[in-house]
Amino acid sequence: MPSPVVVIGGGIVGSCIACFLAGHRDVVVLERDPTYRFASTTLSAASYRTQFSLPVNVRMSLFGASFLEAMAERIGLVRRAYLVLAGPDGAAALAGNHAMQVAEGAEVALFGPSAIAERFPWLNPDGLACATLGLAHEGWFDAYLLLRAVREAAISRGARYVADAAVGLERAGGAIAAVQAAKAGRIAAGEVVIAAGRDAGRVAALADVVLPVVGRKRTVFVLRAPLAGTGLPLVFDTSGAWLRPEGEGFIGGIAPRPEADPDPGDDFDPDLDLLETTLWPALAHRIPALERLRMTRAWAGHYDMCLLDHNAVIGRHPEIANLVFAAGFSGHGVQHAPAAGRGVAELIRFGAYRTLDLSPLGYERVRDNRPMPEDEVY
């Protein structure tokens, strides 16, 4: 009997791989935290959109949307648009992204300054040159419910989840012969998939492979303000701030400055200073009603950030034939997990992608230091 496919990481990316692959191959999933208390999946804002700057990401989003919308009631899915704003410096790029998105089959509208002011009267249009609004296949959902559903489906198809951490990768010639687990010991492997989120770079290093994926902490603030959230889209501001309705209030966030954005290690404390110094001023400028916002709570999760270009690394290692990557999603892993899971499963089963070509995201661009930047990342 052939050795199993060992998937390192049982979050939403690893679980989607197991879900699509189980029943065709023997699958073992190593997940060091079966409670998922600190998982990037469960701590994410769990949104999905078709508005990206690269065609491959739009295609992944469209498949992800069909996957999520097919289980809408089960995961508490809310269908709501993203509103992406651009100033004069970003107008040409946003208009170009819009043209590409529509060509790829996404339903997105483009607005000029006067239309922005008319369509969104609660928005301060100062400094805006254009905006795009998703007309379909965008929104948000409960990430934990999604993970639980996908994990249950994978197990029902035969995948075995093991509560353990990978501490070694045993190389034999041009392949990985086994994964060494902290408690279970040596697990012989026919294929090894690194889907370990923020720890993916560390896991790859166990095989002396460089994978530029590290953790980056992102804080989500739960806010109340004298503004009705009914029907409001998720807003991406030119400042980098984002905000969306949630329950009776809103959630929002903003990335810290690059020089104040180290690898967080095991730090999951919310960065409360960001609200006072950066997020609040940006939101109050763009949405005047938010000048009177108040925070009710906050939490922090970790992105698995690809330092090369803010894009996932998906596919086989060019020299280690049975080593496969699915990591570095840089904040859009939950929505792209279904497409990544299907693609990796096809690669392992058939030796090639059958439905969606994910080869632009392959490891070769890491090896060759050939960035392929995704610009619409928050």
Side-chain angles (χ1 to χ4, degrees):
M1 183 175 179
S3 297
V5 176
V6 180
V7 179
I8 303 174
I12 192 57
V13 174
S15 289
C16 279
I17 293 167
C19 185
F20 281 100
L21 192 56
H24 305 286
R25 291 286 301 271
D26 185 19
V27 179
V28 174
V29 181
L30 291 182
E31 172 52 51
R32 67 175 187 168
D33 176 22
T35 70
Y36 296 102
R37 180 183 175 191
F38 296 110
S40 297
T41 301
T42 53
L43 293 173
S44 76
S47 304
Y48 72 108
R49 58 187 163 109
T50 59
Q51 297 182 66
F52 282 89
S53 67
L54 294 174
V56 67
N57 284 334
V58 176
R59 294 169 196 154
M60 292 178 76
S61 290
L62 289 171
F63 176 73
S66 67
F67 185 94
L68 296 168
E69 290 167 0
M71 51 197 311
E73 292 186 10
R74 191 171 180 186
I75 63 174
L77 186 138
V78 176
R79 289 177 170 87
R80 195 76 61 82
Y82 275 58
L83 177 65
V84 182
L85 307 175
D89 292 344
L94 191 65
N97 290 346
H98 168 258
M100 178 274 294
Q101 292 155 9
V102 172
E104 291 293 338
E107 299 177 47
V108 182
L110 178 67
F111 297 92
S114 60
I116 294 171
E118 181 180 351
R119 179 74 179 265
F120 310 105
W122 41 269
L123 202 66
N124 173 12
D126 289 354
L128 297 181
C130 63
T132 52
L133 181 75
L135 303 178
H137 307 310
E138 296 189 332
W140 47 88
F141 53 91
D142 187 313
Y144 176 70
L145 293 179
L146 174 67
L147 175 58
R148 189 169 71 179
V150 173
R151 188 178 186 274
E152 289 173 356
I155 292 170
S156 72
R157 296 169 187 174
R160 292 173 286 146
Y161 278 68
V162 178
D164 212 337
V167 295
L169 296 177
E170 178 187 322
R171 291 186 61 166
I176 305 294
V179 175
Q180 189 72 27
K183 293 181 288 189
R186 186 179 187 274
I187 303 172
E191 304 264 3
V192 175
V193 182
I194 297 178
R198 68 189 179 103
D199 293 319
R202 177 191 62 79
V203 174
L206 298 174
D208 296 323
V209 170
V210 174
L211 183 66
V213 175
V214 297
R216 288 291 183 262
K217 185 170 73 172
R218 293 294 179 264
T219 300
V220 179
F221 298 93
V222 182
L223 308 168
R224 300 295 295 270
L227 176 68
T230 305
L232 260 65
L234 188 155
V235 179
F236 277 164
D237 187 37
T238 57
S239 63
W242 64 270
L243 182 88
R244 82 166 197 226
E246 182 77 10
E248 296 181 355
F250 303 87
I251 62 173
I254 193 167
R257 300 184 312 277
E259 64 271 20
D261 195 20
D263 190 325
D266 292 325
D267 176 13
F268 285 87
D269 292 333
D271 187 353
L272 300 181
D273 288 342
L274 270 178
L275 178 62
E276 189 78 24
T277 63
T278 309
L279 180 61
W280 193 342
L283 292 177
H285 170 73
R286 187 58 64 205
I287 305 173
L290 296 182
E291 187 174 345
R292 291 177 285 166
L293 66 77
R294 61 183 176 87
M295 185 188 78
T296 60
R297 67 184 184 92
W299 79 85
H302 292 173
Y303 279 7
D304 57 323
M305 189 70 77
C306 178
L307 298 181
L308 178 69
D309 53 17
H310 292 182
N311 249 325
V313 179
I314 303 174
R316 292 190 181 279
H317 189 281
E319 296 171 6
I320 306 174
N322 69 335
L323 181 62
V324 182
F325 304 100
F329 289 83
S330 305
H332 43 277
V334 177
Q335 62 183 305
H336 284 169
R342 181 182 63 171
V344 169
E346 291 175 348
L347 200 58
I348 291 173
R349 289 183 62 197
F350 308 117
Y353 297 117
R354 288 281 184 94
T355 50
L356 178 59
D357 182 11
L358 302 183
S359 58
L361 299 173
Y363 184 84
E364 288 78 5
R365 77 181 200 282
V366 175
R367 178 196 62 192
D368 301 337
N369 192 26
R370 182 169 38 85
M372 187 178 67
E374 171 54 56
D375 298 330
E376 292 199 25
V377 173
Y378 288 79

